[in-house]
Amino acid sequence: MLRLSPLALLLATTPVLAQEINVYSHRQPELIQPLVDAFTKETGITVNVAFVDKGMAERLVAEGDRSPADLVLTVDIARLMQIVDADVTQAVQSDVLDANIPAALRDPNDHWFGLTSRARVVYASKDRVKPGEITTYEDLASDKWKGRLCTRSGLHDYNIALLGAIIVHHDEAYATKWAEGLKANLAKKPDGGDRDQAKAIAAGECDIALGNTYYMGQMLADPEQKAWADAVSIVYPTFESGGTHLNISGVAMTKSAPNRENALKFMEWLTSDEAQKIYAETNYEFPVKPGVERSELVKSWGEFTPDTTPLAAIAAARATALKIMETVDFDG
Ligand code: FE
């Protein structure tokens, strides 16, 4: 008969007792930690987070069935769909997720789920841009902004998604002209992140910039960056025939998830009032769960009408958008 020492017995039974899940995250460590801590405190389930900066889909494909990852957290609809398209995710049926996330912000096939949304807006110089001077995305290409516009790389996912929405609202030819117009208006070569554009406005290098809403909150909370945010106001532009462009951060469960049950618990918890409030207060994002309010600061930037272009259509326009940015040599 096989005899096990107490230690061997403990080791042999540990996997059954282990309450942990593994998350591959493209999101910043500082943002995820408060959520992880609160979840672990409530459930006793440990969440191991590995930060994956680049090549998420490739890594999951390479790891295959042996991947330790249960969940993927990332920003941008196209990145989420790339992971789904790589066939490394599984469908998740959950009444909780269905109830907490509006249908437009989750995959009809249940592979990806939006957890927060954010608007891509215009940061406008408080000194040099009058209220009402810029109201549409289309107008960013008008030559009245010549030499006055700043943005991060045209190839960045956030700008590719915005251009994708322009393609959906108009067509490829219009979108190409628009990208050309934007390039012609640049005060300097695209560089840095969204916050660097507010910094450039504060320094007088440009008057308007593209930026995501939550970076305003991050700048205001950082003594070194507060002056950049103070130099600009947020303008929620709309498409001529639509609303303000939104993108999401979201989650997907891997196909091989070794800890499926607890991973689902975490997914559902991320859509709870408590987690949605953490997203709203600590990262200034828009909660997806109906009834959970934006932070007071975010609300102070005013109301807006979200654009209704389906996220899947924006992601589907990604290849064309990338081609346009390369054709017009946007960053060159
Ligand atoms: Fe970001």
Side-chain angles (χ1 to χ4, degrees):
M1 186 182 136
L2 178 67
R3 281 173 175 253
L4 290 174
S5 71
L7 179 63
L9 195 61
L10 180 70
L11 288 174
T13 53
T14 295
V16 180
L17 301 174
Q19 295 280 311
E20 59 174 22
I21 61 170
N22 303 312
V23 176
Y24 282 2
S25 173
H26 193 281
R27 307 217 63 192
Q28 296 159 347
E30 315 86 74
L31 165 65
I32 299 307
Q33 208 51 49
L35 292 159
V36 163
D37 291 345
F39 175 73
T40 302
K41 202 172 158 200
E42 254 172 62
T43 62
I45 300 167
T46 303
V47 181
N48 306 309
V49 182
F51 290 93
V52 179
D53 191 31
K54 288 222 160 80
M56 181 80 83
E58 291 81 352
R59 177 163 169 177
L60 289 166
V61 168
E63 289 174 350
D65 289 347
R66 298 179 318 278
S67 177
D70 296 293
L71 299 175
V72 174
L73 285 172
T74 187
V75 295
D76 186 57
I77 181 58
R79 281 191 213 166
L80 272 169
M81 290 189 62
Q82 271 165 16
I83 295 160
V84 173
D85 290 345
D87 197 27
V88 289
T89 58
Q90 62 176 296
V92 172
Q93 269 91 35
S94 155
D95 293 343
V96 174
L97 294 177
D98 289 354
N100 290 352
I101 307 171
L105 300 180
R106 52 184 158 83
D107 180 9
N109 298 316
D110 297 319
H111 277 257
W112 57 263
F113 298 85
L115 295 171
T116 64
S117 70
R118 62 279 293 287
R120 192 138 187 83
V121 296
V122 167
Y123 302 157
S125 163
K126 280 181 184 164
D127 294 339
R128 301 182 296 277
V129 179
K130 288 194 244 11
E133 242 187 299
I134 175 96
T135 57
T136 67
Y137 294 106
E138 284 85 349
D139 189 49
L140 289 167
S142 134
D143 58 13
K144 76 177 178 199
W145 301 113
K146 198 157 206 77
R148 301 173 67 190
L149 172 71
C150 283
T151 179
R152 75 194 308 163
S153 167
L155 298 172
H156 188 276
D157 291 326
Y158 300 157
N159 283 337
I160 289 298
L162 176 61
L163 181 56
I166 289 276
I167 294 168
V168 176
H169 275 282
H170 298 272
D171 57 25
E172 184 177 341
Y174 181 97
T176 305
K177 281 255 171 298
W178 184 79
E180 275 168 2
L182 239 60
K183 184 182 176 181
N185 287 341
L186 289 175
K188 60 191 185 73
K189 274 194 182 194
D191 186 33
D194 286 350
R195 280 174 284 195
D196 293 299
Q197 318 312 318
K199 184 184 182 185
I201 291 175
E205 293 170 11
C206 42
D207 297 341
I208 55 170
L210 284 167
N212 282 358
T213 38
Y214 56 88
Y215 287 119
M216 273 293 276
Q218 292 182 4
M219 287 187 284
L220 288 167
D222 183 335
E224 275 176 29
Q225 299 177 359
K226 189 173 176 298
W228 310 347
D230 286 340
V232 305
S233 51
I234 281 199
V235 175
Y236 286 105
T238 64
F239 297 103
E240 281 167 1
S241 59
T244 296
H245 173 64
L246 295 188
N247 205 325
I248 57 168
S249 81
V251 64
M253 187 182 286
T254 67
K255 203 178 203 172
S256 58
N259 309 290
R260 195 183 181 284
E261 210 171 298
N262 285 336
L264 177 58
K265 269 186 207 160
F266 188 51
M267 281 175 93
E268 291 178 340
W269 184 82
L270 287 173
T271 68
S272 69
D273 283 40
E274 186 186 356
Q276 290 283 298
K277 224 170 267 171
I278 293 174
Y279 274 125
E281 299 293 334
T282 66
N283 202 39
Y284 317 102
E285 293 182 271
F286 308 147
V288 292
K289 186 178 181 201
V292 181
E293 298 208 21
R294 288 173 282 156
S295 76
E296 286 304 319
L297 173 66
V298 174
K299 277 196 267 180
S300 76
W301 301 331
E303 292 305 315
F304 65 94
T305 308
D307 192 46
T308 53
T309 304
L311 289 169
I314 291 171
R318 178 181 168 81
T320 305
L322 278 168
K323 190 184 76 183
I324 290 172
M325 285 302 196
E326 273 157 19
T327 303
V328 307
D329 191 22
F330 192 83
D331 290 355

